[in-house]
Amino acid sequence: MHTPASMVMGIVFAPLGLVLVFTAAITPQWREGRARLGMAGPGSFLRSGVKGQGMGVRSGSVEALLLLRSDGLWESCLQVEHSELKQCWPVAGPYQRDPRVRLTQGLVLTSLFLCGTGIVLACIGVRCWMDVPLRGVAATGGLLVVMSGLLSLTALGVYTHNLGRLGMADPSQGINNPRFPHLSLHPAGSLYFGWLGSCLQVLGGSALLFSSKRPRCPTCPSCPERPDCPACRSCTEMTNKPDTNVYEVSC
């Protein structure tokens, strides 16, 4: 079977977009923030933890550490930059309870489910092992993939728009704690994976939708009112032409 280029494009882009969105969902780098933590006291816990590893940075008479905080949908991490000291934990507190974070989680999970279902339908519809594709089934799968891409784009938009305010409802907890250094938050790598994957889902799903258009079969010059391909087999003007190969095409 000669698979249409739009089907090939859709069946390649849709799984690639699913992988990228799934990678973004499970990684904790949706937003990042760096802060310099001073260690003036000789008995500081962080100072004792990194003593001997050369991670202290002297600023005048006070040592400092550069901390990297990252948050994802289901996990947060804290790491001393340029070291192996890293601690991760499931999201909790105001950040976990933030309705915008919960909305993003729900949209991403729904997007992954719809995209997976759409890819299964698209594979059934393309039917590369058969002569005739099921264009309606492939188009249905493409519609689900487009919807999944739009849902993930919505989730990413909500998170990015509120990135600096997520989890800040309770000033006495979380990263806004006065005892913890202020973090200047910015988008991180997982967001970019998500944006790219969502765009690929929309492109792949749209290609599958466009593949639902049936190819136009040649008509018999003597029987223009019979557009179906079987008419070509009964048309003497087409079958009696020399050096002409006649193929049976099922539309």
Side-chain angles (χ1 to χ4, degrees), residues 201-222:
Q201 286 178 345
V202 174
L203 288 176
S206 300
L208 289 169
L209 276 176
F210 289 141
S211 69
S212 63
K213 185 178 180 181
R214 296 178 180 273
R216 189 172 182 179
C217 299
T219 58
C220 178
S222 300

Side-chain angles (χ1 to χ4, degrees), residues 67-139:
L67 298 180
L68 176 63
R69 167 70 181 261
S70 61
D71 293 307
L73 294 183
W74 286 277
E75 190 179 41
S76 298
C77 293
L78 185 64
Q79 180 180 9
V80 178
E81 197 168 46
H82 307 304
S83 78
E84 297 181 358
L85 296 176
K86 184 176 182 179
Q87 180 70 35
C88 295
W89 61 92
V91 293
Y95 180 79
Q96 181 191 28
R97 296 190 297 268
D98 194 301
R100 293 162 294 193
V101 174
R102 291 189 172 184
L103 175 63
T104 303
Q105 291 173 338
L107 289 176
V108 169
L109 289 177
T110 305
S111 170
L112 292 174
F113 174 76
L114 286 179
C115 189
T117 305
I119 291 173
V120 172
L121 289 177
C123 291
I124 296 173
V126 171
R127 298 203 309 177
C128 296
W129 61 92
M130 303 278 297
D131 291 334
V132 183
L134 299 175
R135 297 179 180 273
V137 177

Side-chain angles (χ1 to χ4, degrees), residues 44 140 173 234:
S44 171
T140 303
Q173 299 185 25
S234 61

